[in-house]
């Protein structure tokens, strides 16, 4: 089966929005073994849209559209599709009811123009929409399958997951299972080098490495007759990667560094407090993304001035005068000070030069010190980061989280 | 001129990355009056890529490609293009020098495979790349223009701005100037309703409204013979929008709420400290994005526990016992307390239930109180937000920034 994703909408062609739907759908189709051969975007123009359907079905047999299912006269995705397939559309009672229910739920009044959103060919499969006024549909005609979905992701995604994925799984040739390993503290090139032999020789399972900010992801995908068999294929490769990368692997599947850190803290019954300068609240904010973090996080202080460092964290004025705010010594006193004044097991600190100003000959932009007070011991780490102000702040935050993770793993 | 943007890369079709290049290029082309009629993505496959060139040039006369200019054998964008145009490619000395300079600058060794990145047709225009090893090029053939750029945005964007935009401006039919007004505190539907008459009757200039998280943007675009004339067309519409929306307009052009807040604070010589609970560092972190914020921000505390609120902010235990941590009373004491203990002119606080847990019958998820101590006066705001944990935290942060902005405007 060859798939094409066709987004309909002039706002995409004007660069007003990014076509995230194409990525979402492509990824999910790959998950179930259906490969996308083309992605296209066309505007709200009847002739060009019709040509896009023709081009798409010349080269693919599954076409999924997003957008253009609204109530206005610019919304033509269905009308042109029905024309392409030479099908009449009629008022579909089930679709109409779906729309009426949505208006009732949101306490709004249905307009006359919304009625066109309930028109579909007699033999099409309606995809209900519980988050908007545009039901979608599936048309199967000879070898061609056309699936039409609305544009807004909060409508499209549930419809895709609840109706389209089950529908398409029928066409799946065997099972495709993916496992994701997540790494931090190693760059993509280095990681790829360490698995060069695996990458060169892979057949089934396959491994795809890719980089996101501050992490590298290995996606291991196996194709087999059943889920059990696919997992049996994945296990040895997963074991091999763990052997090669050790604790650079911080998690598996849908997770992130801050989640893993919080889980470790709670599991080991440890409390933590944060003292930030250049990261300015980012580190605390990341930890607080975790529901239940109140079990371990006592407080966080952004001591953005020297006065604040002295007053809140008992950093010594002499230390600031002698070594400066951006120093290993100050980072240590901040970490120890926050742990002491908040009565937490762990104190972690950041102090650095995010830029663009504030640097000197000895202290360039990107110089950041991390401090860690843990189990009565004080440690410090020196970073030399590149990028703009906010990139440096984000990278310092990620490295602080990863360092913390590695340190508390062994407690 | 009709433009098509063609991204080459199997990783996009697998859903590994979002095609942000298409949005960037489309927006910039629209800025200079060149409209994109199609966006396409094709994989690293010679036959399908060639067909994509054929399809693109059947319907457009300007095609811009991104991706596939690397040194590996999967990188075929140029080779297939040269084949399509029936052109021979030769080693281009200027391009080779560009690549060698890049390797020298980054202290890396040029490999044999990188040489192919310097092969171009004799009559093509080379686009230098100062951030990677892949120069781009422009081929003009009869009525067709093909512009080839690398995939990574940090390489593509500078090349596009420095070489492609000046090249394309020659084809510009008149000048297109856009001004952007940014609004906060009003929803997109309400904003659109208030300019319904303008939207229905617009010719030149045009106004395009669109929503981003926590803000609405109006882009006013005028077409004229000169920049001066275009600005003359924009002025009256801008004035009319200011008249209708008043201080819901927080800025113009490339800016954001936190930047405008910091500029106001510094301009009025005011100092501020923050006391956050549910927003957990997000608010402080947003302010610290602004270089030079140390002129106004003294410190920020994330008082995530009651103990912390009492100890750091002098919030009264009786207040917490009687009204709870999530209350107007606590928000006020937090705001007053941080201002007092940090000695700042302004104290701002947040306390709420970000969810998914922590709610009660009286206090649902999304209930957030903001507190503001300013000029000796205490104010509070009650919010009822929807969304998941992090959406509630982000929205509370945006509303706190907008409230702060409106309050300090009149000092």
């Amino acid at each position: 089966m060859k798939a094409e994703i066709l987004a309909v909408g002039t706002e995409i062609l004007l660069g007003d929005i990014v076509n995230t739907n194409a990525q979402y759908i492509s990824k999910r189709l790959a998950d179930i073994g259906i490969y996308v051969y083309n992605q296209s975007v066309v505007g709200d123009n009847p002739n060009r849209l019709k040509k896009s359907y023709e081009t798409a079905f010349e080269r693919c047999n599954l076409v999924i559209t997003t957008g253009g299912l609204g109530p206005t006269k610019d919304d033509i995705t269905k009308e042109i599709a029905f024309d392409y397939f030479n099908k009449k559309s009629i008022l579909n009672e089930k679709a109409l009811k779906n729309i009426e229910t949505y208006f009732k739920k949101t306490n709004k009044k249905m307009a006359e123009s919304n009625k066109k959103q309930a028109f579909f060919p007699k033999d099409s499969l309606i995809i209900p929409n519980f988050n908007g006024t545009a039901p979608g549909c599936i048309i199967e005609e000879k070898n061609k399958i056309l699936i039409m979905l609305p544009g807004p992701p909060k409508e499209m995604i549930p419809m895709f997951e609840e109706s389209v994925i089950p529908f398409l799984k029928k066409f799946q040739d065997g099972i495709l299972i993916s496992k994701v390993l997540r790494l931090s503290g190693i760059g993509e090139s280095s990681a790829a080098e360490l698995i060069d032999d695996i990458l060169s020789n892979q057949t089934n399972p396959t491994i795809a490495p890719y980089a996101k900010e501050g992490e590298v992801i290995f996606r291991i995908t196996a194709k087999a007759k059943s889920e059990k068999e696919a997992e049996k294929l994945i296990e040895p490769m997963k074991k091999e990667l763990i052997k090669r990368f050790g604790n650079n692997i911080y998690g598996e599947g849908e997770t992130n560094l801050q989640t893993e850190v919080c889980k470790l803290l709670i599991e080991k019954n440890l409390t933590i407090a944060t003292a930030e300068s250049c990261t300015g609240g980012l580190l605390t904010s990341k930890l607080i993304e975790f529901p239940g973090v109140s079990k371990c996080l006592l407080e966080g202080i952004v001591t953005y001035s020297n006065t604040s460092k002295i007053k809140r964290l008992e950093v010594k004025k002499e230390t600031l005068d002698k070594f400066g705010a951006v120093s290993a010594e100050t980072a240590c006193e901040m970490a120890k000070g926050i742990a002491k004044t908040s009565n937490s097991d762990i104190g972690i600190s950041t102090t650095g030069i995010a830029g663009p100003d504030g640097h000197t000959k000895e202290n360039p932009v990107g110089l950041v010190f991390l401090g860690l007070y843990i189990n009565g011991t004080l440690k410090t780490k020196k970073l030399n980061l590149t990028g703009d102000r906010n990139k440096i702040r984000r990278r310092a935050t990620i490295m602080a989280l990863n360092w913390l993770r590695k340190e508390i793993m062994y407690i």
Side-chain angles (χ1 to χ4, degrees), chain A:
Chain A
M1 178 169 276
K2 293 184 177 186
E4 175 152 346
I5 299 168
L6 175 59
V8 184
T10 303
E11 69 277 14
I12 307 175
L13 296 178
L14 287 174
D16 286 346
I17 60 175
V18 179
N19 187 6
T20 56
N21 287 336
Q23 185 213 16
Y24 185 89
I25 294 172
S26 296
K27 190 169 202 291
R28 294 295 287 125
L29 290 179
D31 285 347
I32 63 169
I34 294 174
Y35 291 106
V36 173
Y37 280 69
N38 296 87
Q39 294 173 0
S40 303
V41 182
V42 70
D44 308 308
N45 175 283
N47 290 334
R48 289 196 280 281
L49 178 51
K50 189 164 186 194
K51 265 231 116 265
S52 289
Y53 280 130
E54 289 166 2
T55 302
F57 279 116
E58 269 164 32
R59 54 194 183 190
C60 295
N61 49 358
L62 167 64
V63 175
I64 301 179
T65 69
T66 58
L69 297 186
T72 77
K73 50 177 170 39
D74 288 334
D75 294 292
I76 52 171
T77 301
K78 292 194 305 182
E79 289 76 1
I80 303 301
F82 304 157
D83 178 33
Y84 171 79
F85 281 109
N86 205 17
K87 285 182 182 286
K88 270 183 130 89
S89 66
I90 55 172
L91 183 66
N92 184 297
E93 288 301 331
K94 196 171 151 208
L96 184 63
K97 201 169 164 112
N98 179 201
I99 299 172
E100 286 169 344
T101 306
Y102 179 76
F103 275 105
K104 209 175 288 178
K105 179 176 103 168
T106 54
N107 267 329
K108 293 191 179 136
K109 200 165 175 290
M110 178 166 169
E112 194 59 29
S113 56
N114 291 109
K115 268 219 174 97
K116 84 163 190 157
Q117 297 181 290
F119 273 75
F120 292 97
K122 194 164 156 210
D123 53 355
S124 59
L125 189 65
I126 307 300
I127 304 172
N129 181 352
F130 303 112
N131 296 287
T133 64
C137 83
I138 301 176
I139 296 176
E140 283 183 271
E141 187 80 354
K142 298 189 181 81
N143 293 349
K144 301 177 184 175
I145 300 172
L146 173 63
I147 302 178
M148 292 184 281
L149 297 166
K154 71 174 172 83
E155 298 178 40
M156 187 282 288
I157 292 172
M159 291 164 78
F160 189 82
E161 294 298 331
E162 287 156 30
S163 302
V164 176
I165 286 281
F167 173 82
L168 288 175
K169 273 187 161 164
K170 292 186 309 202
F171 300 91
Q172 210 178 355
D173 173 28
I175 301 271
L176 221 82
I177 299 279
S178 279
K179 298 275 180 205
V180 163
L181 293 180
R182 310 184 88 100
L183 293 75
S184 191
I186 183 169
E188 192 190 8
S189 321
S190 312
E193 255 176 65
L194 287 171
I195 56 167
D196 192 52
D197 56 321
I198 300 178
L199 288 172
S200 310
N201 296 319
Q202 55 181 334
T203 44
N204 187 20
T206 55
I207 175 169
Y210 51 104
K212 289 192 162 183
E213 184 168 60
E215 65 177 350
V216 172
I217 289 166
F218 288 147
R219 187 170 65 190
I220 311 164
T221 307
K223 191 169 182 172
K225 286 211 193 73
S226 71
E227 199 167 319
K228 211 169 169 185
E229 281 186 47
E231 282 175 1
K232 265 202 195 148
L233 286 169
I234 291 177
E235 260 327 283
M237 187 180 280
K238 199 173 125 188
K239 282 200 166 78
E240 182 60 29
L241 292 169
I242 292 172
K243 189 168 133 201
R244 294 190 193 195
F245 291 97
N247 70 4
N248 282 315
I249 297 173
Y250 78 78
E252 204 178 311
E254 278 307 303
T255 184
N256 51 47
L257 265 177
Q258 53 270 33
T259 297
E260 296 303 317
V261 165
C262 288
K263 281 159 89 171
L264 274 169
L265 288 166
I266 291 171
E267 181 193 316
K268 293 170 186 279
N269 216 12
L270 294 164
T271 55
I272 187 171
T274 59
E276 304 183 61
S277 201
C278 64
T279 48
L282 260 182
L283 176 57
T284 316
S285 177
K286 283 283 162 204
L287 292 169
I288 289 179
E289 285 182 13
F290 185 75
V293 68
S294 55
K295 289 192 191 76
C296 57
L297 179 79
L298 302 183
E299 60 182 7
I301 311 194
V302 177
T303 49
Y304 210 60
S305 61
N306 280 2
T307 309
S308 180
K309 288 177 177 73
I310 294 169
K311 172 178 176 149
R312 302 289 186 186
L313 308 176
E314 300 179 4
V315 171
K316 296 197 278 292
K317 189 179 179 301
E318 297 73 44
T319 305
L320 290 164
D321 289 342
K322 185 173 181 190
F323 299 104
V326 179
S327 61
E329 291 79 4
T330 296
C332 282
E333 289 192 19
M334 286 171 70
K336 188 172 179 188
I338 190 64
K340 181 183 167 208
T341 58
S342 68
N343 213 12
S344 60
D345 300 315
I346 300 171
I348 184 166
S349 71
T350 71
T351 177
I353 303 166
D357 303 314
H359 54 283
T360 60
K361 199 159 164 252
E362 297 82 27
N363 288 359
V365 166
L367 176 66
V368 176
F369 288 93
L370 308 178
L372 190 61
Y373 176 83
I374 185 168
N375 254 353
T377 331
L378 257 180
K379 303 185 188 203
T380 180
K381 218 188 222 288
K382 179 181 178 181
L383 311 175
N384 285 297
L385 304 173
T386 55
D388 65 22
R389 180 180 177 82
N390 291 321
K391 185 165 188 190
I392 286 170
R393 293 174 62 217
R394 289 194 308 270
R395 295 194 67 200
T397 299
I398 289 167
M399 294 179 86
L401 283 169
N402 197 39
W403 186 33
L404 182 55
R405 176 186 69 88
K406 284 181 161 177
E407 288 289 324
I408 58 184
M409 270 176 83
Y410 300 111
I411 291 180

